[in-house]
Amino acid sequence: MQVQLVDPSGDVTPYDHALSAALARQGADVELVTSRFLYGPIPEQRDYSLSELFYRRANRLGSEARRARRAVKLLEHVPDMLRYRRHARDADVRHYQWLPIEPLDAFLIPPARPRVMTMHNVIRRGAGRRQAQVTRRLAERMDAVVVHTRHGARRLEELGADPDRVHVIPHGAFEHLTRQDAEVPLPDELAAVEGPVVLSFGMIRDYKGVDVLLRAFREVEGAELWIVGRPLNYSMEPLHELARNVSAKVRFVTRYVTEPEIPAFFRRADLLVLPYRSVDQSGVLYAGIAFGKPMIISDVGGFREVGEEHGAARLVPPGDPRALAGALNDLLADPQERAALGARAATAAAGAYSWDRIARRTLDLYEELMR
C-alpha cells in the first residue's frame, strides 16, 4: 500500500516522522510530503521517503526571517498545492496532517480517493460560525477524519461533522526522543542544580496557563521551576513579573529546544506540569509519557482520558493556582507516588500509546476505506 502523509508547513513534524516510521514498520510504502524543517534535525535513518515539496523559496530565507518567509509562503502556496495534485496521483491513500489555509485547501487537494485528515487542533475549531462552517466543509471533503481523543470526536460532532466519518486513534508517545544517538547535555548552570525540579515545557501561549503555574509556585518551597519554551505571540514581561514574586528559583529558557536537547530536560525533571486552561491533546504530554515522567495536568479535554483511564498523571482543575500548589506539594513530598505515576506513564507508552499499535489501527482504517 502506497501512503502519502501530507503536512505542507511541517506543523506537526515530530508526529509526521513518528507515524511514517511506524507505518513503514508495518509494511506500508510511506512518503512524507512536507517542507524543510528549519528548527532542528530530523531523523536521518528512515524506512520511508521524504519529499520536501512545499515552500522551497520561503524556507531558503531561514527561521529568523519570519515575516518575509510568511509572505513568500503565501505566494508559493497555491502553485505548490497544484504541484502536489500532480505528485499525489500514484498514492493509494493521501493522509493530511495539516492544511495551512483550510477554506482554500479544501478545494485544492487532489480529487483522488480515499482522503483522510487528522485534525490535531480540534479545540480551536468552532470559535466562530465561519470556523465551524470551514470545519464541516473540510470534514465532508474527507472519507475519514482522525482525532486523538473521544473529547475531540464529540467536539467535531457538535460542529456538524458526520460521526460515521470520525475515528479516534490516539496520539503516540514520542518514544524516539528517549533513544537518540547524539543527546545534548544540559547547560552547565542547569546541570549544577541539585534540588528537585518542576518542568514546564513547550511553546509559551496564553492557553497553556504558565501564569497559573507561577501563581501556584508562590506556595511551593524546596524546588526550582524551569519554564522552557519559545513564546509565540506572547509577552514574557507579565511572567517575569510573576516570577519576581515567587520565593523559589524560577529559570526561563525562552528559545526553541531541539530534539537532541529534550531528553536532558525531561530526565532531570522530578515533575512535569501542564497547567493548560483548555486543550484536546498536546505533544508535550506524549513526550512526558514516553519518558515515564510523573505529571500534573489540567482536567480538560482529552487530558482527562490520560489521567482517568491510565492513571498516568494527577489531574487538577484548570485555572486554579491553589489546587495546583496542593498537588505540587503533595507529589514533591511523596517520591513513591511520583514513581507510581511514572511507572503508569511508561506502561501507557508501551501499550495504548505505542506507535506500532497506532500504525496498525491507522492501516486498518486505510484498508477499510479502500474496500
Side-chain angles (χ1 to χ4, degrees), residues 159-180:
L159 296 175
D162 180 355
D164 290 337
R165 297 189 187 192
V166 179
H167 302 261
V168 179
I169 299 178
H171 190 301
F174 282 132
E175 50 86 26
H176 72 282
L177 296 173
T178 70
R179 46 176 177 76
Q180 300 180 74

Side-chain angles (χ1 to χ4, degrees), residues 39 42 65 78 81 96 98 128 201 224 243-244 336 363:
Y39 299 102
I42 59 173
V78 170
M81 289 296 289
Y96 302 94
W98 210 282
F201 191 90
E224 285 198 4
R244 285 191 280 271
Q336 289 184 330
L363 285 172

Side-chain angles (χ1 to χ4, degrees), residues 45-99:
Q45 297 180 348
R46 299 185 293 264
D47 293 325
Y48 53 94
S49 61
L50 175 66
S51 297
E52 294 173 338
L53 187 71
F54 291 94
Y55 312 130
R56 289 172 289 186
R57 291 182 177 85
N59 284 338
R60 288 179 196 145
L61 300 174
S63 60
E64 298 303 317
R66 293 180 188 176
R67 291 186 178 180
R69 197 172 78 251
R70 187 179 300 117
V72 177
K73 283 177 70 174
L74 285 171
L75 293 174
E76 289 187 279
H77 183 72
V78 170
D80 283 357
M81 289 296 289
L82 294 176
R83 184 184 302 112
Y84 173 66
R85 287 172 72 99
R86 298 189 294 273
H87 186 83
R89 289 172 182 165
D90 294 334
D92 297 311
V93 178
R94 286 138 291 273
H95 186 166
Y96 302 94
Q97 299 302 319
W98 210 282
L99 291 172

Side-chain angles (χ1 to χ4, degrees), residues 166-335:
V166 179
H167 302 261
V168 179
I169 299 178
H171 190 301
F174 282 132
E175 50 86 26
H176 72 282
L177 296 173
T178 70
R179 46 176 177 76
Q180 300 180 74
D181 292 331
E183 292 185 9
V184 176
L186 287 171
D188 290 343
E189 65 273 18
L190 298 183
V193 174
E194 295 183 353
V197 170
V198 174
L199 176 64
S200 168
F201 191 90
M203 195 172 290
I204 299 172
R205 304 181 71 173
D206 181 66
Y207 76 89
K208 293 191 175 183
V210 178
D211 58 316
V212 178
L213 177 55
L214 282 164
R215 290 186 174 91
F217 234 76
R218 293 173 181 169
E219 302 177 31
V220 176
E221 295 182 357
E224 285 198 4
L225 174 59
W226 293 1
I227 297 172
V228 181
R230 179 169 59 93
L232 179 65
N233 302 322
Y234 191 87
S235 171
M236 292 298 294
E237 182 52 37
L239 298 185
H240 288 298
E241 180 62 31
L242 287 169
R244 285 191 280 271
N245 294 316
V246 174
S247 60
K249 181 70 175 179
V250 180
R251 300 177 191 263
F252 291 90
V253 181
T254 52
R255 61 176 176 80
Y256 184 85
V257 177
T258 63
E259 287 197 349
E261 296 175 280
I262 289 174
F265 283 97
F266 276 74
R267 292 195 172 107
R268 178 60 186 85
D270 296 275
L271 276 173
L272 176 66
V273 184
L274 289 78
Y276 291 20
R277 289 182 167 88
S278 64
V279 75
D280 180 50
Q281 49 81 30
S282 162
V284 176
L285 173 65
Y286 298 104
I289 290 172
F291 281 97
K293 300 308 298 183
M295 295 181 288
I296 301 173
I297 62 178
S298 295
D299 187 5
V300 291
F303 276 21
R304 181 176 300 167
E305 297 167 26
V306 173
E308 290 186 345
E309 296 178 17
H310 303 287
R314 175 77 64 87
L315 293 168
V316 295
D320 188 337
R322 186 175 296 276
L324 179 54
L328 284 164
N329 285 319
D330 286 349
L331 288 175
L332 286 169
D334 191 345

Side-chain angles (χ1 to χ4, degrees), residues 125-162:
R125 295 179 177 276
R129 182 179 299 178
R130 184 173 180 275
Q131 182 60 51
Q133 185 180 43
V134 168
T135 298
R136 282 195 301 273
R137 183 182 298 128
L138 189 60
E140 289 167 359
R141 299 278 289 173
M142 300 295 159
D143 298 291
V145 176
V146 173
V147 293
H148 295 311
T149 67
R150 292 192 304 278
H151 168 267
R154 289 192 299 270
R155 182 66 185 137
L156 279 186
E157 291 168 20
E158 289 168 2
L159 296 175
D162 180 355

